[in-house]
Amino acid sequence: MLTINVAVLLAVIIFVRIRRPVEPRTRLDQTLGIALVLVLGLLLAPTQVGHSVLGAVQQLVHGIAKASH
């Protein structure tokens, strides 16, 4: 039986949408893009990958804040 991870499927959909040529977008298109990215973030947040990304971003922000002082 074939199983599909929803987070991977959403990542592929977002990747395909980002690769489209830049053109004027409708408000509905922008809203759909934002919703897809938010749902992907919610799916990844409780996973090990989500925690790793969060740790990396925290280190980056801490380094930038430390360098600015």
Side-chain angles (χ1 to χ4, degrees), residues 57-69:
V57 170
Q58 284 177 340
Q59 287 179 355
L60 179 67
V61 169
H62 181 69
I64 292 171
K66 193 173 182 180
S68 68
H69 287 286

Side-chain angles (χ1 to χ4, degrees), residues 7-29:
V8 173
L9 180 63
L10 274 176
V12 169
I13 292 170
I14 291 169
F15 179 75
V16 169
R17 288 179 52 86
I18 288 174
R19 290 194 61 219
R20 290 190 323 189
V22 177
E23 57 190 32
R25 300 186 192 270
T26 64
R27 189 170 300 270
L28 178 64
D29 192 30

Side-chain angles (χ1 to χ4, degrees), residues 21-45:
V22 177
E23 57 190 32
R25 300 186 192 270
T26 64
R27 189 170 300 270
L28 178 64
D29 192 30
Q30 289 177 347
T31 305
L32 178 63
I34 292 169
L36 286 173
V37 171
L38 285 175
V39 170
L40 179 63
L42 290 174
L43 288 173
L44 289 180

Side-chain angles (χ1 to χ4, degrees), residues 38-56:
L38 285 175
V39 170
L40 179 63
L42 290 174
L43 288 173
L44 289 180
T47 64
Q48 188 65 25
V49 173
H51 290 291
S52 299
V53 170
L54 178 63

